[in-house]
Amino acid sequence: GPKVLQIPSHQIIDMGQMVTLNCDPVSNHLYFYWYKQILGQQMEFLVNFYNGKVMEKSKLFKDQFSVERPDGSYFTLKIQPTALEDSAVYFCASSRQGGEVFFGKGTRLTVV
Amino acid sequence: GDSVTQTEGLVTLTKGLPVMLNCTYQTTYSPFLFWYVQHLNEAPKLLLKSSTDNKRTEHQGFYATLHKSSSSFHLQKSSVQLSDSALYFCALSDRTGNYKYVFGAGTRLKVIA
């Protein structure tokens, strides 16, 4: 079936540094999402993205976060600068309008 | 605000037995409810969805009925298999597209021989 690929699967980064999480969504999908899951807790919505723009973001989507999908390539989540509380698993997802949402396996980010 | 509650963190069952994983929700809008399953080292995958009150929806032997009167969407299966061992998430949305899910905490189902 359709797959959303997330690169890398694990990332360890020093606090204060910048990190970019990459997502290769399903090829004909137009809606993209990021969710954050802190260990042992539920997945929480961060942001959704359509037609080159952020449609909606939650209070978890801090000013240090940004998303983009330049030229139809990877859909990225950038955190600059990182903080210890950004340590979590970040899930990317994509969908067509009204269609099933497909998730990636997640990127485990550890900020040290 | 909107919320989804899954009361069981871990459910351990012997194969062949029935299972029910609880999901209740709170929202002010007309809800769409979903169950996602995540096997170890895999991506969460859609298992079931519904927005129709009192209509049973089924897939891969699992079934659930949305009951708006009790704000529930419990997941059931009549006979669990070893391969059903996974993490199950209940999720709520207010729309069919441009999804912004509210997830429950998840229930880990462990099926033993």
Side-chain angles (χ1 to χ4, degrees), chain A residues 95-108:
Chain A
S95 71
R96 292 181 290 113
Q97 171 67 43
E100 181 180 338
V101 177
F102 291 85
F103 284 84
K105 293 185 180 183
T107 294
R108 182 176 297 278

Side-chain angles (χ1 to χ4, degrees), chain A residues 31 33 35 37 41-45 48 55-56 91 95-105, chain B residues 4 36 38 41-46 49 87 89 95-106:
Chain A
Y31 292 88
Y33 317 84
Y35 285 81
Q37 184 182 40
Q41 300 180 28
Q42 62 248 63
M43 272 197 279
E44 293 193 85
F45 172 81
N48 55 17
M55 301 293 290
E56 210 171 345
F91 288 91
S95 71
R96 292 181 290 113
Q97 171 67 43
E100 181 180 338
V101 177
F102 291 85
F103 284 84
K105 293 185 180 183
Chain B
V4 174
Y36 275 81
Q38 185 180 22
N41 298 322
E42 296 295 320
K45 292 180 185 175
L46 180 65
K49 63 180 180 181
L87 189 56
F89 293 101
R95 62 201 83 174
T96 56
N98 192 19
Y99 288 88
K100 176 187 166 186
Y101 286 132
V102 175
F103 278 95

Side-chain angles (χ1 to χ4, degrees), chain B residues 27-104:
Chain B
T27 183
T28 56
Y29 48 74
S30 185
F32 292 80
L33 271 295
F34 304 81
W35 276 101
Y36 275 81
V37 57
Q38 185 180 22
H39 288 93
L40 192 61
N41 298 322
E42 296 295 320
K45 292 180 185 175
L46 180 65
L47 183 58
L48 291 173
K49 63 180 180 181
S50 181
S51 59
T52 306
D53 200 10
N54 298 318
K55 182 180 177 183
R56 176 165 150 161
T57 182
E58 299 188 36
H59 185 61
Q60 296 182 338
F62 287 91
Y63 58 95
T65 303
L66 175 60
H67 291 297
K68 292 184 180 180
S69 60
S70 58
S71 299
S72 67
F73 190 57
H74 305 318
L75 181 68
Q76 296 180 264
K77 191 174 185 183
S78 57
S79 174
V80 294
Q81 305 303 310
L82 294 174
S83 57
D84 294 328
S85 294
L87 189 56
Y88 292 81
F89 293 101
C90 185
L92 166 71
S93 178
D94 66 347
R95 62 201 83 174
T96 56
N98 192 19
Y99 288 88
K100 176 187 166 186
Y101 286 132
V102 175
F103 278 95

